[in-house]
């Protein structure tokens, strides 16, 4: 990007102009102070608005007085305190104060049948009902989604004025409509669910940040009435034009491309150029994420910088240097932002790019750090929740690092950049040196943030960026040119395909090939425990010190060693004080997932859900990472019901699970019908070389300090129902017993209780309530025979609503995922038991 925009030119880094000078750093300090205030206010239990606003005004007045007295240090200190106070007050306003007519104040935790009217903010867009490795076995038709602005609730007494936004889900196909059409919809409105497991994405917080009060599910097209307004508003017309242009841009991009390329090429191009995400790109996205190149797929500042540079290059090629080029770039960037989904990374980058172009059009070079800091302040005032978003932290952390840390590190390693290289070779040499510094600085700063949010380190991130970033920049430039030529050339764009289609296809295939090759290396990603926020901040301080200060090498090494010890110590202490057995029961809706850890062994018993076939990536993997699970020795699948194994393939891929334990009955069912989900699972596991081990009643295995004994199913037994073929496992550890029951029903329960001394055979201190808590008399007798003190129940919302176990297990501690979220039980070396739950009530 030419330096006129305040972004790197060949051999130059932003911030070369004395980056640590006070004038260049003041807005950065204020942005950090505002962020600190937001962090404090975010964790306040009650709103603190007026005291903080008054404190902010008072501190600002004192800062003005200090400026008059020429006390610059005092002025900056007072302004920083004023911004921090403003941050506390501002986030309180966003978090706690809701208007009386705000729809968000009327939405409850349970679904409510409502009828609303308002305006569609976009056309209905189909989305697959399920994702994940087993999504092919979800036979529901794609649902339609569209955002809606609600202005009235319709009741028996007429319409009640309200204000708010909802996301509407229609479960049947409807006639197309456009943004601005009037809509009346009847369905069930529910507030988005908060996290129910460690590490789980906070959909409620995300919806609140988008201004959405909830999700409105409309079961039938007859419950949705759409009509055009008498006159479309200007915003509705703009939205409709935007929707049409998005569709055309995709067609322009992918038209007339060569057919001989990697299978996911079109999905990759649509994602990297237009931000379109489909099921086919999900696997590729995981590969980009694992090797540290996910930022290339997510439209952000990199994409907008390439677009701005491309437009500026064309403008100067045809007309030389003119100030109006900045206005041209702003127009093109705004047009591009309208063609893609306006997520926060795009908006952040757009603000910075547009601000830089304004400096160009005004004939001034604006200080980059001030532009970045100003954009951060504006975005935090608009969306305070973004402070806790990994993308926000990575974007601004890396950009600030490049501005303030890149130049001194560049000078220390390679000397001052040559602003006017004499030859192409020297220019390439300068560019390569700068690229090395940029990649290293970005990696050093991004790594602690990625560790904190994702529990991973990507060792290949920096070296791969040196190759992938220029290749991606070329791909983006050619892609933009392809869309422009396809849009302006009439008829079949054969010339366009010949000129730019081939290099576009080759570059996309090369990029994907490099990423997939690197992803195949076992050390492309290192899973680590997620450090605390305090440790992450300390690591970032050390990174700044290392890059900005040229000397004090011994002190840096000592500080780095202290950081490593600080990072490793909690894991070492946790390992030394680990219980003899820990059971984690995750909240997966209608399904089951248990992680049992003892010694250095981790065994997963069942991993699936019928209510969310993407539960592996959405819930299980993030929860396991947050719980500190780095490897899995084996997965035991109780029986051949999808809600017990739908996440197995994701876990096998993510944790490199070497073996899967299954029953002979499950293996037989998988071999009998090749079109079933269980047959597909076994085929995929065999393809990946996973060891499949059949286990049956009477077998015993030892994992860590725990001894596992299988009580069911007998190897040659026949069952009327597949549920009765479930594994029943009795685990002994430190004199305590745990009974895992799968989905057994009356037939198996009665057989297990036929033993002369059933207390010695099935008696346990902890029991998994069979079949997710399905209630019948045989189940009551079975629980009485087991006589547990702790009952674990993994079940969904609907079964919990009609629960009938209250009297039957009165006096026993009961942990239920539908009520308590994820739950855990620990047994120490002395046999003492402790329990806990994720949702405290």
């Amino acid at each position: 990007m030419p330096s006129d925009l305040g972004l790197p030119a060949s051999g130059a880094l932003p911030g070369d102009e004395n980056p640590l000078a006070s004038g260049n750093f003041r807005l950065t300090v204020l942005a950090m102070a505002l962020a600190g205030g937001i962090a404090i206010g975010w964790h306040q239990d009650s709103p603190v608005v007026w005291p903080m606003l008054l404190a902010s005004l008072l501190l600002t007045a004192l800062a003005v007085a200090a400026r008059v007295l020429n006390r610059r240090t005092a002025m900056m200190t007072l302004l920083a305190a004023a911004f921090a106070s403003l941050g506390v007050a501002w986030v309180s306003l966003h978090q706690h104060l809701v208007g009386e007519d705000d729809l968000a104040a009327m939405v409850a935790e349970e679904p409510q049948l409502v009828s609303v009217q308002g305006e569609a903010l976009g056309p209905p867009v189909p989305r697959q009902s399920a994702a994940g490795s087993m999504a092919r076995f979800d036979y529901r038709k794609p649902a339609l989604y569209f955002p809606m602005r609600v202005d009235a609730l319709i009741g028996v007494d007429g319409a009640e004025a309200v204000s708010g936004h909802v996301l509407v889900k229609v479960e049947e196909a409807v006639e197309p409509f456009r943004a601005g059409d009037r809509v009346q919809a009847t369905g069930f409105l529910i507030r988005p669910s908060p996290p129910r497991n460690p590490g789980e994405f906070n959909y409620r917080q995300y919806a609140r940040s988008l201004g959405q009060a909830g999700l409105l599910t409309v079961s039938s097209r007859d419950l949705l009435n759409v009509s055009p307004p008498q006159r479309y508003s200007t915003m509705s017309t703009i939205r409709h034009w935007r929707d049409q242009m998005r569709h055309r841009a995709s067609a322009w991009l992918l038209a007339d491309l060569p057919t001989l390329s990697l299978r996911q090429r079109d999905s990759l191009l649509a994602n990297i150029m237009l931000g379109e995400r489909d099921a086919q790109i999900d696997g590729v996205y995981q590969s980009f994420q694992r090797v540290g190149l996910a930022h290339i797929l997510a439209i952000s500042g990199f994409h907008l910088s390439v677009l701005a540079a491309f437009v500026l290059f064309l403008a100067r090629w045809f007309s030389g240097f003119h100030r109006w080029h900045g206005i041209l770039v702003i127009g093109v960037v705004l047009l591009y932002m309208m063609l893609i989904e306006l997520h926060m990374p795009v908006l952040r980058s757009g603000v910075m790019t547009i601000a830089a172009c304004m400096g160009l059009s005004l004939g001034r070079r604006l200080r980059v750090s001030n532009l970045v800091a100003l954009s951060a302040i504006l975005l935090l005032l608009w969306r305070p929740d973004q402070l806790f978003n990994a993308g926000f932290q990575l974007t601004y952390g890396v950009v600030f690092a490049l501005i303030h840390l890149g130049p001194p590190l560049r000078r220390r390693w390679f000397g001052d950049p040559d602003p006017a290289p004499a030859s192409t070779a020297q220019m390439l040499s300068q560019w390569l040196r700068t690229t090395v510094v940029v990649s290293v600085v970005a990696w050093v700063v991004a790594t602690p943030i990625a560790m904190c949010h994702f529990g991973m380190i990507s060792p290949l991130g920096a070296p791969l960026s040196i190759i992938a970033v220029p290749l991606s920049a070329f791909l983006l430039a050619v892609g933009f040119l392809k869309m422009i030529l396809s849009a302006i050339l009439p008829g079949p764009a054969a010339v366009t395909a010949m000129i730019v289609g081939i290099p576009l296809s080759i570059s996309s295939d090369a990029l994907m090939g490099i990423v997939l090759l690197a992803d195949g290396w076992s050390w492309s990603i290192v899973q680590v425990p997620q450090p605390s926020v305090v440790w992450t901040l300390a690591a970032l301080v050390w990174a700044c010190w290392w890059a900005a200060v040229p000397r004090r090498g011994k002190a840096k090494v000592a500080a780095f060693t202290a950081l490593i010890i600080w990072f490793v110590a909690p894991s070492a202490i946790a390992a030394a004080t680990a219980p003899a057995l820990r059971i984690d029961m995750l909240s997966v809706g209608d399904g089951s997932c248990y992680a049992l850890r003892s010694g250095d062994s981790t065994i997963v018993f069942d991993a699936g859900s019928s209510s969310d076939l993407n539960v592996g990536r959405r819930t299980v993997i993030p929860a396991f990472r947050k719980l500190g699970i780095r490897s899995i020795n084996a997965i035991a699948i109780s029986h051949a019901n999808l809600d017990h194994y739908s996440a197995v393939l994701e876990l096998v891929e993510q944790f490199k699970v070497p073996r899967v334990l299954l029953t002979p009955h499950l293996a037989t069912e998988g071999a009998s019908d090749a079109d079933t989900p269980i047959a597909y699972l076994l085929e995929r596991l065999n393809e990946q070389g996973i060891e499949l081990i059949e286990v049956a009643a009477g077998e015993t295995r030892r994992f860590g300090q725990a001894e596992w004994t299988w009580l069911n199913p007998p190897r040659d037994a026949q069952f009327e129902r597949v549920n009765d073929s479930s594994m029943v496992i009795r685990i002994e550890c430190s004199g305590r017993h745990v009974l895992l029951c799968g989905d057994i029903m009356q037939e198996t329960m009665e057989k297990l209780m036929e033993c002369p001394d059933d207390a010695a055979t099935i008696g346990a201190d902890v029991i998994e309530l069979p079949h997710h808590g399905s209630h019948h008399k045989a189940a009551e007798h079975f629980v009485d025979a087991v006589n547990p003190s702790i009952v674990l129940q993994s079940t969904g919302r609907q079964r919990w609503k009609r629960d009938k176990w209250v009297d039957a297990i009165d006096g026993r501690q009961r942990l239920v995922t539908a009520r308590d979220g994820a739950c855990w039980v620990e047994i120490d070396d002395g046999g003492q038991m402790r329990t806990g739950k994720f949702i405290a009530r």
Side-chain angles (χ1 to χ4, degrees), residues 512-523:
M512 191 182 306
I514 291 171
V515 170
L516 294 179
L517 176 64
D519 188 40
W521 298 334
S522 59
W523 41 274

Side-chain angles (χ1 to χ4, degrees), residues 707 709 711 728-733 735-741 749 752-753 755-768 781-790 812:
E707 184 173 80
T709 302
L711 307 182
V728 177
I729 307 171
R730 190 169 187 254
I731 303 171
E732 191 279 328
C733 185
R736 297 287 188 174
H737 294 87
V738 178
L739 194 68
L740 302 177
C741 301
M749 292 178 189
L752 290 172
M753 288 189 291
C755 177
D757 187 6
D758 56 3
T761 303
I762 62 174
D765 303 282
V766 182
I767 186 175
E768 175 199 12
H781 295 325
F782 183 74
V783 172
D784 287 339
V786 174
N787 192 27
S789 57
I790 300 172
R812 311 181 197 274

